[in-house]
mmCIF file of all heavy atoms in Angstrom:
data_model
loop_
_atom_site.group_PDB
_atom_site.id
_atom_site.type_symbol
_atom_site.label_atom_id
_atom_site.label_comp_id
_atom_site.label_asym_id
_atom_site.label_seq_id
_atom_site.Cartn_x
_atom_site.Cartn_y
_atom_site.Cartn_z
ATOM 1 N N GLY O 1 0.781 -1.251 0.044
ATOM 2 C CA GLY O 1 -0.011 0.027 0.014
ATOM 3 C C GLY O 1 0.820 1.232 -0.001
ATOM 4 O O GLY O 1 0.591 2.202 -0.685
ATOM 5 N N SER O 2 1.853 1.349 0.909
ATOM 6 C CA SER O 2 2.629 2.505 0.927
ATOM 7 C C SER O 2 3.984 2.390 0.227
ATOM 8 O O SER O 2 4.660 3.343 0.031
ATOM 9 C CB SER O 2 3.080 2.805 2.525
ATOM 10 O OG SER O 2 1.974 3.077 3.242
ATOM 11 N N SER O 3 4.458 1.141 -0.067
ATOM 12 C CA SER O 3 5.692 0.938 -0.648
ATOM 13 C C SER O 3 6.069 1.581 -1.920
ATOM 14 O O SER O 3 7.237 1.847 -2.234
ATOM 15 C CB SER O 3 6.232 -0.631 -0.670
ATOM 16 O OG SER O 3 5.216 -1.191 -1.622
ATOM 17 N N PRO O 4 5.029 1.920 -2.748
ATOM 18 C CA PRO O 4 5.451 2.655 -3.993
ATOM 19 C C PRO O 4 6.296 3.934 -3.749
ATOM 20 O O PRO O 4 7.127 4.300 -4.428
ATOM 21 C CB PRO O 4 4.115 3.015 -4.664
ATOM 22 C CG PRO O 4 3.271 1.839 -4.373
ATOM 23 C CD PRO O 4 3.490 1.419 -2.859
ATOM 24 N N ALA O 5 5.963 4.560 -2.513
ATOM 25 C CA ALA O 5 6.697 5.707 -2.094
ATOM 26 C C ALA O 5 8.164 5.428 -1.869
ATOM 27 O O ALA O 5 9.032 6.232 -2.310
ATOM 28 C CB ALA O 5 5.990 6.374 -0.755
ATOM 29 N N TYR O 6 8.428 4.332 -1.161
ATOM 30 C CA TYR O 6 9.930 3.755 -0.889
ATOM 31 C C TYR O 6 10.562 3.595 -2.250
ATOM 32 O O TYR O 6 11.693 3.980 -2.315
ATOM 33 C CB TYR O 6 9.999 2.499 0.010
ATOM 34 C CG TYR O 6 8.920 2.180 0.930
ATOM 35 C CD1 TYR O 6 8.706 0.915 1.235
ATOM 36 C CD2 TYR O 6 8.119 3.125 1.583
ATOM 37 C CE1 TYR O 6 7.823 0.498 2.269
ATOM 38 C CE2 TYR O 6 7.172 2.809 2.471
ATOM 39 C CZ TYR O 6 7.040 1.587 2.901
ATOM 40 O OH TYR O 6 6.129 1.118 3.800
ATOM 41 N N VAL O 7 9.844 2.964 -3.215
ATOM 42 C CA VAL O 7 10.478 2.614 -4.451
ATOM 43 C C VAL O 7 10.786 3.856 -5.307
ATOM 44 O O VAL O 7 11.835 3.992 -5.880
ATOM 45 C CB VAL O 7 9.522 1.776 -5.347
ATOM 46 C CG1 VAL O 7 10.110 1.509 -6.715
ATOM 47 C CG2 VAL O 7 9.234 0.338 -4.579
ATOM 48 N N TYR O 8 9.762 4.967 -5.293
ATOM 49 C CA TYR O 8 10.071 6.167 -5.941
ATOM 50 C C TYR O 8 11.354 6.886 -5.311
ATOM 51 O O TYR O 8 12.118 7.361 -6.056
ATOM 52 C CB TYR O 8 8.862 7.096 -5.838
ATOM 53 C CG TYR O 8 7.525 6.550 -6.421
ATOM 54 C CD1 TYR O 8 6.458 6.758 -5.736
ATOM 55 C CD2 TYR O 8 7.707 5.868 -7.538
ATOM 56 C CE1 TYR O 8 5.203 6.363 -6.241
ATOM 57 C CE2 TYR O 8 6.482 5.243 -7.946
ATOM 58 C CZ TYR O 8 5.191 5.511 -7.435
ATOM 59 O OH TYR O 8 4.124 5.126 -8.030
ATOM 60 N N MET O 9 11.492 6.731 -4.038
ATOM 61 C CA MET O 9 12.665 7.326 -3.381
ATOM 62 C C MET O 9 13.948 6.574 -3.845
ATOM 63 O O MET O 9 15.011 7.195 -4.002
ATOM 64 C CB MET O 9 12.564 7.209 -1.803
ATOM 65 C CG MET O 9 11.524 8.130 -1.252
ATOM 66 S SD MET O 9 11.378 7.837 0.645
ATOM 67 C CE MET O 9 12.945 8.454 1.076
ATOM 68 N N PHE O 10 13.802 5.178 -4.001
ATOM 69 C CA PHE O 10 14.909 4.512 -4.499
ATOM 70 C C PHE O 10 15.304 4.872 -5.958
ATOM 71 O O PHE O 10 16.562 5.063 -6.217
ATOM 72 C CB PHE O 10 14.669 2.887 -4.398
ATOM 73 C CG PHE O 10 15.786 2.090 -4.938
ATOM 74 C CD1 PHE O 10 17.061 2.013 -4.393
ATOM 75 C CD2 PHE O 10 15.520 1.134 -5.916
ATOM 76 C CE1 PHE O 10 18.150 1.352 -4.849
ATOM 77 C CE2 PHE O 10 16.472 0.363 -6.408
ATOM 78 C CZ PHE O 10 17.757 0.437 -5.820
ATOM 79 N N ILE O 11 14.268 4.962 -6.777
ATOM 80 C CA ILE O 11 14.514 5.449 -8.167
ATOM 81 C C ILE O 11 15.227 6.808 -8.213
ATOM 82 O O ILE O 11 16.075 7.109 -8.964
ATOM 83 C CB ILE O 11 13.145 5.426 -8.951
ATOM 84 C CG1 ILE O 11 12.785 3.962 -9.175
ATOM 85 C CG2 ILE O 11 13.387 6.112 -10.177
ATOM 86 C CD1 ILE O 11 11.303 3.838 -9.694
ATOM 87 N N GLU O 12 14.656 7.738 -7.397
ATOM 88 C CA GLU O 12 15.201 9.098 -7.311
ATOM 89 C C GLU O 12 16.708 9.045 -6.939
ATOM 90 O O GLU O 12 17.557 9.736 -7.518
ATOM 91 C CB GLU O 12 14.484 9.941 -6.441
ATOM 92 C CG GLU O 12 14.725 11.373 -6.336
ATOM 93 C CD GLU O 12 13.887 12.229 -5.463
ATOM 94 O OE1 GLU O 12 13.421 11.722 -4.394
ATOM 95 O OE2 GLU O 12 13.674 13.491 -5.751
ATOM 96 N N ALA O 13 16.987 8.215 -5.907
ATOM 97 C CA ALA O 13 18.363 8.122 -5.499
ATOM 98 C C ALA O 13 19.347 7.507 -6.520
ATOM 99 O O ALA O 13 20.446 8.073 -6.723
ATOM 100 C CB ALA O 13 18.390 7.311 -4.126
ATOM 101 N N LEU O 14 18.854 6.484 -7.187
ATOM 102 C CA LEU O 14 19.707 5.955 -8.261
ATOM 103 C C LEU O 14 19.883 6.993 -9.281
ATOM 104 O O LEU O 14 20.975 7.173 -9.824
ATOM 105 C CB LEU O 14 18.846 4.759 -8.864
ATOM 106 C CG LEU O 14 18.856 3.389 -8.371
ATOM 107 C CD1 LEU O 14 17.941 2.383 -8.930
ATOM 108 C CD2 LEU O 14 20.169 2.805 -8.099
ATOM 109 N N ALA O 15 18.855 7.750 -9.732
ATOM 110 C CA ALA O 15 19.034 8.789 -10.670
ATOM 111 C C ALA O 15 20.001 9.901 -10.212
ATOM 112 O O ALA O 15 20.793 10.227 -10.984
ATOM 113 C CB ALA O 15 17.779 9.402 -11.061
ATOM 114 N N ASP O 16 19.825 10.339 -9.031
ATOM 115 C CA ASP O 16 20.720 11.267 -8.445
ATOM 116 C C ASP O 16 22.279 10.830 -8.555
ATOM 117 O O ASP O 16 23.140 11.621 -8.877
ATOM 118 C CB ASP O 16 20.516 11.492 -6.867
ATOM 119 C CG ASP O 16 19.326 12.352 -6.721
ATOM 120 O OD1 ASP O 16 18.775 12.934 -7.766
ATOM 121 O OD2 ASP O 16 18.891 12.394 -5.600
ATOM 122 N N GLY O 17 22.498 9.566 -8.284
ATOM 123 C CA GLY O 17 23.834 9.094 -8.480
ATOM 124 C C GLY O 17 24.495 9.288 -9.860
ATOM 125 O O GLY O 17 25.605 9.557 -10.108
ATOM 126 N N ALA O 18 23.641 8.870 -10.847
ATOM 127 C CA ALA O 18 23.944 9.088 -12.140
ATOM 128 C C ALA O 18 24.171 10.507 -12.625
ATOM 129 O O ALA O 18 25.088 10.830 -13.399
ATOM 130 C CB ALA O 18 22.944 8.379 -13.108
ATOM 131 N N VAL O 19 23.145 11.434 -12.132
ATOM 132 C CA VAL O 19 23.264 12.791 -12.425
ATOM 133 C C VAL O 19 24.565 13.348 -11.894
ATOM 134 O O VAL O 19 25.245 14.152 -12.560
ATOM 135 C CB VAL O 19 22.151 13.482 -11.785
ATOM 136 C CG1 VAL O 19 22.218 15.042 -11.882
ATOM 137 C CG2 VAL O 19 20.794 13.120 -12.588
ATOM 138 N N ALA O 20 25.041 12.824 -10.806
ATOM 139 C CA ALA O 20 26.337 13.300 -10.150
ATOM 140 C C ALA O 20 27.502 12.935 -11.090
ATOM 141 O O ALA O 20 28.549 13.591 -10.946
ATOM 142 C CB ALA O 20 26.458 12.696 -8.788
ATOM 143 N N GLU O 21 27.276 12.001 -11.769
ATOM 144 C CA GLU O 21 28.313 11.542 -12.843
ATOM 145 C C GLU O 21 28.111 12.254 -14.071
ATOM 146 O O GLU O 21 28.899 11.787 -15.158
ATOM 147 C CB GLU O 21 28.493 10.015 -12.879
ATOM 148 C CG GLU O 21 28.896 9.226 -11.607
ATOM 149 C CD GLU O 21 30.261 9.707 -11.187
ATOM 150 O OE1 GLU O 21 31.254 9.927 -12.198
ATOM 151 O OE2 GLU O 21 30.481 9.802 -10.143
ATOM 152 N N GLY O 22 27.148 13.041 -14.343
ATOM 153 C CA GLY O 22 26.957 13.862 -15.644
ATOM 154 C C GLY O 22 25.941 13.305 -16.377
ATOM 155 O O GLY O 22 25.740 13.956 -17.546
ATOM 156 N N MET O 23 25.064 12.323 -16.047
ATOM 157 C CA MET O 23 23.908 11.826 -16.928
ATOM 158 C C MET O 23 22.738 12.840 -16.841
ATOM 159 O O MET O 23 22.459 13.350 -15.736
ATOM 160 C CB MET O 23 23.500 10.480 -16.454
ATOM 161 C CG MET O 23 22.378 9.980 -17.401
ATOM 162 S SD MET O 23 21.923 8.320 -16.922
ATOM 163 C CE MET O 23 23.083 7.325 -17.692
ATOM 164 N N PRO O 24 22.168 13.311 -17.850
ATOM 165 C CA PRO O 24 20.949 14.280 -17.816
ATOM 166 C C PRO O 24 19.969 13.597 -16.927
ATOM 167 O O PRO O 24 19.706 12.324 -17.142
ATOM 168 C CB PRO O 24 20.549 14.377 -19.298
ATOM 169 C CG PRO O 24 21.838 14.022 -20.061
ATOM 170 C CD PRO O 24 22.578 13.088 -19.321
ATOM 171 N N ARG O 25 19.181 14.447 -16.148
ATOM 172 C CA ARG O 25 18.216 13.963 -15.185
ATOM 173 C C ARG O 25 17.094 13.003 -15.760
ATOM 174 O O ARG O 25 16.757 12.071 -15.455
ATOM 175 C CB ARG O 25 17.686 15.099 -14.353
ATOM 176 C CG ARG O 25 16.669 14.501 -13.225
ATOM 177 C CD ARG O 25 16.629 15.527 -12.198
ATOM 178 N NE ARG O 25 17.695 15.715 -11.353
ATOM 179 C CZ ARG O 25 18.090 14.927 -10.484
ATOM 180 N NH1 ARG O 25 17.457 13.778 -10.119
ATOM 181 N NH2 ARG O 25 19.131 15.189 -9.703
ATOM 182 N N ALA O 26 16.494 13.520 -16.982
ATOM 183 C CA ALA O 26 15.536 12.815 -17.564
ATOM 184 C C ALA O 26 15.920 11.382 -18.013
ATOM 185 O O ALA O 26 15.158 10.449 -17.862
ATOM 186 C CB ALA O 26 14.918 13.479 -18.735
ATOM 187 N N GLN O 27 17.088 11.267 -18.559
ATOM 188 C CA GLN O 27 17.708 10.026 -18.978
ATOM 189 C C GLN O 27 18.047 9.320 -17.695
ATOM 190 O O GLN O 27 17.685 7.994 -17.679
ATOM 191 C CB GLN O 27 18.924 10.282 -19.764
ATOM 192 C CG GLN O 27 19.467 9.010 -20.378
ATOM 193 C CD GLN O 27 20.669 9.318 -21.332
ATOM 194 O OE1 GLN O 27 21.632 9.980 -20.922
ATOM 195 N NE2 GLN O 27 20.700 8.786 -22.485
ATOM 196 N N ALA O 28 18.459 9.748 -16.670
ATOM 197 C CA ALA O 28 18.785 9.070 -15.437
ATOM 198 C C ALA O 28 17.533 8.365 -14.933
ATOM 199 O O ALA O 28 17.531 7.156 -14.433
ATOM 200 C CB ALA O 28 19.475 9.904 -14.408
ATOM 201 N N TYR O 29 16.323 9.273 -14.881
ATOM 202 C CA TYR O 29 15.180 8.595 -14.322
ATOM 203 C C TYR O 29 14.625 7.318 -15.205
ATOM 204 O O TYR O 29 14.100 6.426 -14.701
ATOM 205 C CB TYR O 29 14.080 9.649 -14.311
ATOM 206 C CG TYR O 29 14.098 10.544 -13.133
ATOM 207 C CD1 TYR O 29 13.843 12.053 -13.336
ATOM 208 C CD2 TYR O 29 14.445 10.196 -11.855
ATOM 209 C CE1 TYR O 29 13.941 12.806 -12.209
ATOM 210 C CE2 TYR O 29 14.530 11.089 -10.804
ATOM 211 C CZ TYR O 29 14.370 12.389 -11.042
ATOM 212 O OH TYR O 29 14.346 13.223 -9.985
ATOM 213 N N LYS O 30 14.896 7.462 -16.457
ATOM 214 C CA LYS O 30 14.410 6.436 -17.434
ATOM 215 C C LYS O 30 15.281 5.132 -17.153
ATOM 216 O O LYS O 30 14.711 4.123 -17.015
ATOM 217 C CB LYS O 30 14.638 6.871 -18.822
ATOM 218 C CG LYS O 30 14.009 5.877 -19.900
ATOM 219 C CD LYS O 30 14.111 6.451 -21.248
ATOM 220 C CE LYS O 30 13.550 5.404 -22.248
ATOM 221 N NZ LYS O 30 13.444 5.976 -23.573
ATOM 222 N N PHE O 31 16.517 5.374 -16.957
ATOM 223 C CA PHE O 31 17.438 4.234 -16.657
ATOM 224 C C PHE O 31 17.037 3.594 -15.344
ATOM 225 O O PHE O 31 16.895 2.307 -15.276
ATOM 226 C CB PHE O 31 18.917 4.559 -16.682
ATOM 227 C CG PHE O 31 19.542 4.510 -18.020
ATOM 228 C CD1 PHE O 31 19.592 5.566 -18.997
ATOM 229 C CD2 PHE O 31 20.418 3.401 -18.516
ATOM 230 C CE1 PHE O 31 20.174 5.503 -20.239
ATOM 231 C CE2 PHE O 31 20.902 3.357 -19.655
ATOM 232 C CZ PHE O 31 20.760 4.383 -20.543
ATOM 233 N N ALA O 32 16.925 4.363 -14.475
ATOM 234 C CA ALA O 32 16.595 3.832 -13.014
ATOM 235 C C ALA O 32 15.255 3.140 -12.965
ATOM 236 O O ALA O 32 15.097 2.163 -12.419
ATOM 237 C CB ALA O 32 16.680 4.995 -12.012
ATOM 238 N N ALA O 33 14.260 3.772 -13.610
ATOM 239 C CA ALA O 33 12.980 3.266 -13.498
ATOM 240 C C ALA O 33 12.801 1.864 -14.248
ATOM 241 O O ALA O 33 12.242 0.995 -13.861
ATOM 242 C CB ALA O 33 11.838 4.202 -14.070
ATOM 243 N N GLN O 34 13.433 1.921 -15.464
ATOM 244 C CA GLN O 34 13.505 0.687 -16.151
ATOM 245 C C GLN O 34 14.220 -0.399 -15.488
ATOM 246 O O GLN O 34 13.746 -1.724 -15.621
ATOM 247 C CB GLN O 34 14.007 0.995 -17.664
ATOM 248 C CG GLN O 34 14.066 -0.319 -18.592
ATOM 249 C CD GLN O 34 12.548 -0.953 -18.723
ATOM 250 O OE1 GLN O 34 11.641 -0.051 -18.860
ATOM 251 N NE2 GLN O 34 12.407 -2.094 -18.919
ATOM 252 N N ALA O 35 15.254 -0.094 -14.790
ATOM 253 C CA ALA O 35 15.990 -1.191 -14.050
ATOM 254 C C ALA O 35 15.099 -1.822 -13.009
ATOM 255 O O ALA O 35 15.134 -2.972 -12.771
ATOM 256 C CB ALA O 35 17.328 -0.537 -13.533
ATOM 257 N N VAL O 36 14.367 -0.959 -12.154
ATOM 258 C CA VAL O 36 13.436 -1.336 -11.237
ATOM 259 C C VAL O 36 12.279 -2.291 -11.815
ATOM 260 O O VAL O 36 12.028 -3.413 -11.380
ATOM 261 C CB VAL O 36 12.976 -0.228 -10.382
ATOM 262 C CG1 VAL O 36 11.804 -0.679 -9.458
ATOM 263 C CG2 VAL O 36 13.993 0.492 -9.584
ATOM 264 N N LEU O 37 11.657 -1.680 -12.923
ATOM 265 C CA LEU O 37 10.638 -2.510 -13.675
ATOM 266 C C LEU O 37 11.054 -3.800 -14.071
ATOM 267 O O LEU O 37 10.460 -4.947 -13.860
ATOM 268 C CB LEU O 37 10.075 -1.673 -14.802
ATOM 269 C CG LEU O 37 9.199 -2.426 -15.724
ATOM 270 C CD1 LEU O 37 7.888 -2.665 -14.890
ATOM 271 C CD2 LEU O 37 8.778 -1.497 -16.948
ATOM 272 N N GLY O 38 12.220 -3.932 -14.717
ATOM 273 C CA GLY O 38 12.823 -5.184 -15.230
ATOM 274 C C GLY O 38 13.242 -6.215 -14.182
ATOM 275 O O GLY O 38 12.921 -7.284 -14.237
ATOM 276 N N SER O 39 13.739 -5.595 -13.023
ATOM 277 C CA SER O 39 14.112 -6.468 -11.958
ATOM 278 C C SER O 39 12.904 -6.993 -11.277
ATOM 279 O O SER O 39 12.773 -8.297 -10.887
ATOM 280 C CB SER O 39 14.903 -5.638 -10.909
ATOM 281 O OG SER O 39 15.976 -5.118 -11.440
ATOM 282 N N ALA O 40 11.749 -6.277 -11.099
ATOM 283 C CA ALA O 40 10.604 -6.787 -10.571
ATOM 284 C C ALA O 40 10.063 -7.903 -11.442
ATOM 285 O O ALA O 40 9.400 -8.950 -10.962
ATOM 286 C CB ALA O 40 9.496 -5.625 -10.398
ATOM 287 N N LYS O 41 9.952 -7.669 -12.718
ATOM 288 C CA LYS O 41 9.474 -8.616 -13.700
ATOM 289 C C LYS O 41 10.216 -10.016 -13.590
ATOM 290 O O LYS O 41 9.597 -11.044 -13.696
ATOM 291 C CB LYS O 41 9.520 -8.121 -15.150
ATOM 292 C CG LYS O 41 8.438 -7.072 -15.407
ATOM 293 C CD LYS O 41 8.288 -6.843 -16.917
ATOM 294 C CE LYS O 41 7.517 -8.014 -17.529
ATOM 295 N NZ LYS O 41 7.263 -7.712 -19.099
ATOM 296 N N MET O 42 11.577 -9.808 -13.414
ATOM 297 C CA MET O 42 12.365 -11.180 -13.160
ATOM 298 C C MET O 42 11.887 -11.915 -12.112
ATOM 299 O O MET O 42 11.751 -13.014 -12.100
ATOM 300 C CB MET O 42 13.765 -10.725 -13.134
ATOM 301 C CG MET O 42 14.551 -10.231 -14.452
ATOM 302 S SD MET O 42 14.927 -11.542 -15.474
ATOM 303 C CE MET O 42 16.377 -12.289 -14.590
#
């Protein structure tokens, strides 16, 4: 019920790490979200 909020925080943190290395933020969110989606499907 509440865990989507935790997952969104994780996605945001993953993206922040990539942005710190120079990746554009929109692209970082896409990479992070797709990684979470793919892992859940696995």
Side-chain angles (χ1 to χ4, degrees):
S2 297
S3 66
Y6 328 154
V7 177
Y8 300 144
M9 291 175 69
F10 178 57
I11 289 171
E12 185 179 32
L14 281 176
D16 284 347
V19 170
E21 293 297 322
M23 182 178 283
R25 182 160 291 280
Q27 189 176 48
Y29 282 139
K30 185 173 184 178
F31 270 86
Q34 182 60 36
V36 171
L37 174 63
S39 301
K41 288 193 72 173
M42 287 283 285

